[in-house]
């Protein structure tokens, strides 16, 4: 197989930036989903009450697809990304270009500014902090200020806030975390070195049977580190392999052109499905057949050289490897018309329904069709930012491990290897009792104290 396309999304839910190459880091491509937009909802009955903020996701705010993004160097050079500087992680700005809809609705705000440039690494000093919970994974964002908020508000026709993630990465929830796999390898004696005791043969046999099921079982509460640190790095420093940006669930999303062709075959007249509607990071070709990726456990990256193919190495000399831990369940966002920024019409506007017939293949997400695999860099202690492996369009990729069965999605509203103290925090589905501790080791979500919590029956899933 080979890499057909690479994409990064500096501002979540806007159009992607196609890139010819990029370093692989534990938290995704550099700049990927480091910004997010929030819609401001003033209190209708209490004018002096603080406004509420709603996460803007493309499935709900379809007009977000009208904003295009490109990586740039500083405005003094006006140099956009080229294949020659594609591995450069020192881009200064993302340029946002607004394309009004081809058929604007009656509520369209009218004349709007066409573009704005936003620094990719703004200082958070002096920026107001904004608490955010995205898919039940909380973090802190930083309000970028009126200059950018007002520009987007003019385009959208309503008040918005642009937030920057800064150093506050998010925890990976449920059974997607790659630490479940690495912790299982250590416990079962499959990891060489590291000063770990391998345990008795009985323990290895018992834990080995569990480790084999880690992709489809939520076992992090007792297979995880549980000490609030990853490889000696504190959680609040935003480092460690089980951390992500404003991406939904994982650091990377991998799809194939063969599966895309199967999707396109459901459309009439030779119409082709736009792969960017699936919002991938890595598009591969040459898998041999559609939906082969459903069973992939790991991918290993090779690169071309004058002497043939070489493995792209990490700092410690190992092949660059992605751990694929879960399937990507799809939603109505794949039905959007990217020209109008509205739900699509006709056959292309019913693609989600078309995939329902044969692509609901994940028992943990049984009402949603599957397209693509979530993945993480197989990260090792001691690797540093300056030496992350680089992947390029055209590089060769091989499947390192193929699972016998499809993985099964398991979702919990907390990291499986952590506990949290709640402080009147309302996540998407669960309201925690203030000042009590919710322990990830308890399958029924009961706090250790036994005090009650309640589900928000009408909240989002």
């Amino acid at each position: 197989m080979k890499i057909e396309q690479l994409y990064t999304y500096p501002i979540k839910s806007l159009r992607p930036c196609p890139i010819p190459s990029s370093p692989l880091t534990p938290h995704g491509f550099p700049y990927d989903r480091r910004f997010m937009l929030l819609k401001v909802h003033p209190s209708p009955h209490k004018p002096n009450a603080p406004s509420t903020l709603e996460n803007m996701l493309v499935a709900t705010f379809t007009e977000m697809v009208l904003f295009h993004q490109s990586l740039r160097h500083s405005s003094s050079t006006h140099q956009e990304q080229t294949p020659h500087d594609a591995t450069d992680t020192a881009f200064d700005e993302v340029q946002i270009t607004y394309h009004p809809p081809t058929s604007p609705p009656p509520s369209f705000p009218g004349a709007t500014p066409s573009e704005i440039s936003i620094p990719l690494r703004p200082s958070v000093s002096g920026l107001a902090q904004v608490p955010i919970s995205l898919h039940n994974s909380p973090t802190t964002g930083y309000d970028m200020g009126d200059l950018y908020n007002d520009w987007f508000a003019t385009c959208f026709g309503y008040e918005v806030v642009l937030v920057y993630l800064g150093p506050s990465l998010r925890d990976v929830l449920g059974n997607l975390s790659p630490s479940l796999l690495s912790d299982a390898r250590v416990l079962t004696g499959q990891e060489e070195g590291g000063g770990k005791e391998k345990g008795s043969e009985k323990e290895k046999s018992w834990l080995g049977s569990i480790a084999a099921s880690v992709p489809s079982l939520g076992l992090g509460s007792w297979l995880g580190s549980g000490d609030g640190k990853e490889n000696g790095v504190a959680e609040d420093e935003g480092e460690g392999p089980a951390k992500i940006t404003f991406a939904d669930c994982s650091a990377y999303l991998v799809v194939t052109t063969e599966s895309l062709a199967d999707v396109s075959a459901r459309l009439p007249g030779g119409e082709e499905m736009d792969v960017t509607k699936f919002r991938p990071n890595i598009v591969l070709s040459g898998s041999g057949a559609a939906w082969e990726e459903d069973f992939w456990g790991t991918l290993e990256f090779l690169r071309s050289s004058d002497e043939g193919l070489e493995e792209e190495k990490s700092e410690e000399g190992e092949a660059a490897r992605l751990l694929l831990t879960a399937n990507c369940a799809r939603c109505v966002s794949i039905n959007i018309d990217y020209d109008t920024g509205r739900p699509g019409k006709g056959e292309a506007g019913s693609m989600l329904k078309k995939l329902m017939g044969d692509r609901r293949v994940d028992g943990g997400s049984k009402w949603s069709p599957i397209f693509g695999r979530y993945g993480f860099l197989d990260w090792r202690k001691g690797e540093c930012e300056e030496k992350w492996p680089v992947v390029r369009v055209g590089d060769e990729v091989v499947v390192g491990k193929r699972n016998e069965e499809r993985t099964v999605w398991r979702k919990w509203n907390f990291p499986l290897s952590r506990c949290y103290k709640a402080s009147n925090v309302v996540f998407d589905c669960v309201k925690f009792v203030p000042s009590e501790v919710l322990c990830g080791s308890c399958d029924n979500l009961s706090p250790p104290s036994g005090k009650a919590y309640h589900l928000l029956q009408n909240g989002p899933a």
Side-chain angles (χ1 to χ4, degrees):
M1 294 187 297
K2 70 175 184 178
I3 298 176
E4 196 70 28
Q5 293 169 307
L6 298 171
Y7 294 103
T8 191
Y9 307 75
I11 301 180
K12 182 178 180 64
S13 287
L14 306 191
R15 291 283 194 100
C17 297
I19 51 176
S21 61
S22 179
L24 289 171
T25 82
H27 316 304
F29 290 150
Y31 316 125
D32 189 48
R33 297 170 173 97
R34 292 279 175 166
F35 296 85
M36 188 169 74
L37 288 160
L38 309 174
K39 183 176 182 179
V40 178
H41 292 278
S43 176
H45 305 297
K46 298 179 180 180
N48 296 326
S51 301
T52 59
L53 300 176
E54 179 183 1
N55 299 339
M56 293 181 66
L57 308 179
V58 69
T60 304
F61 295 89
T62 59
E63 62 269 35
M64 299 181 81
V65 303
L66 301 174
F67 295 83
H68 296 238
Q69 308 184 79
S70 61
L71 296 176
R72 297 168 59 95
H73 288 282
S74 65
S75 56
S76 61
T77 63
H78 294 285
Q79 180 181 2
E80 293 190 5
Q81 187 177 46
T82 69
H84 302 291
D85 61 17
T87 60
D88 182 4
T89 59
F91 289 104
D92 301 302
E93 302 171 341
V94 55
Q95 179 176 288
I96 309 301
T97 304
Y98 179 62
H99 295 262
T102 54
S103 300
S107 59
F108 182 68
T112 57
S114 60
E115 64 182 39
I116 192 170
S117 294
I118 301 169
L120 286 165
R121 296 176 300 278
S123 170
V124 299
S125 177
L127 297 183
Q129 295 189 11
V130 181
I132 295 170
S133 178
L134 177 60
H135 303 309
N136 307 309
S137 179
T139 188
T140 299
Y142 296 85
D143 185 341
M144 287 291 292
D146 292 344
L147 173 65
Y148 307 107
N149 297 344
D150 292 347
W151 186 88
F152 279 105
T154 302
C155 296
F156 282 113
Y158 48 80
E159 189 177 356
V160 301
V161 172
L162 176 67
V163 293
Y164 174 55
L165 182 62
S168 307
L169 295 173
R170 296 165 49 234
D171 282 298
V172 177
L173 306 188
N175 66 330
L176 280 82
S177 174
S179 63
L180 299 182
L181 301 177
S182 60
D183 291 338
R185 286 199 297 266
V186 170
L187 286 172
T188 58
Q190 297 174 24
E191 185 96 342
E192 294 295 329
K196 298 281 186 180
E197 290 292 332
K198 294 187 179 182
S200 66
E201 291 300 320
K202 182 177 180 180
E203 288 173 325
K204 287 189 285 183
S205 174
W206 177 69
L207 286 168
S209 64
I210 294 172
S213 302
V214 162
S216 59
L217 294 174
L219 303 175
S221 58
W222 46 275
L223 288 181
S225 60
D227 60 0
K229 295 187 178 183
E230 294 285 355
N231 293 315
V233 181
E235 283 185 3
D236 57 7
E237 292 176 0
E239 298 295 333
K243 297 280 187 176
I244 52 176
T245 61
F246 285 134
D248 281 349
C249 300
S250 71
Y252 298 96
L253 177 60
V254 179
V255 304
T256 70
T257 57
E258 286 75 18
S259 296
L260 181 68
D262 184 275
V263 173
S264 296
R266 302 160 198 247
L267 296 172
E271 184 178 354
E272 294 185 2
M273 183 70 175
D274 182 354
V275 71
T276 65
K277 292 187 178 183
F278 294 104
R279 314 194 72 78
N281 296 109
I282 301 172
V283 182
L284 301 178
S285 64
S287 65
W291 315 119
E292 277 292 303
E293 65 273 19
D294 287 1
F295 298 92
W296 293 348
T298 65
L299 292 175
E300 297 183 1
F301 291 84
L302 314 172
R303 59 173 299 189
S304 300
S305 72
D306 294 337
E307 299 178 357
L309 295 176
E310 296 179 347
E311 292 180 340
E312 180 62 55
K313 303 291 185 180
S314 64
E315 179 184 319
E316 294 185 351
E318 299 178 352
R321 182 181 297 108
L322 285 189
L323 304 174
L324 304 182
T325 61
N327 305 308
C328 181
R330 294 300 170 172
C331 67
V332 294
S333 66
I334 64 174
N335 292 340
I336 298 172
D337 184 327
Y338 272 34
D339 292 326
T340 65
R342 304 174 75 183
K345 298 179 180 179
E347 296 293 319
S350 60
M351 182 52 72
L352 184 69
K353 182 177 180 180
K354 292 178 181 293
L355 293 175
M356 290 284 191
D358 61 334
R359 289 302 301 160
R360 289 186 293 176
V361 295
D362 188 323
S365 185
K366 62 182 179 180
W367 303 116
S368 300
I370 299 301
F371 186 100
R373 295 280 285 159
Y374 287 126
F376 299 83
L377 180 66
D378 191 4
W379 189 80
R380 290 291 185 269
K381 180 179 179 180
E383 294 183 354
C384 62
E385 180 178 343
E386 290 76 13
K387 296 184 179 181
W388 296 128
V390 174
V391 293
R392 299 169 174 82
V393 170
D395 282 357
E396 294 291 324
V397 182
V398 297
V399 177
K401 176 186 176 183
R402 193 178 192 277
N403 299 323
E404 294 182 3
E405 298 179 350
R406 291 183 177 93
T407 53
V408 178
W409 177 275
R410 294 285 184 258
K411 180 180 178 182
W412 285 268
N413 298 326
F414 47 82
L416 292 178
S417 60
R418 307 276 198 281
C419 292
Y420 272 104
K421 287 186 177 180
S423 180
N424 256 342
V425 178
V426 179
F427 294 90
D428 287 352
C429 296
V430 179
K431 182 175 182 180
F432 299 100
V433 176
S435 303
E436 297 300 327
V437 177
L438 186 71
C439 183
S441 66
C442 193
D443 288 340
N444 64 7
L445 307 185
S446 297
S449 65
K451 292 189 177 180
Y453 66 97
H454 68 273
L455 294 177
L456 299 177
Q457 298 297 332
N458 297 321

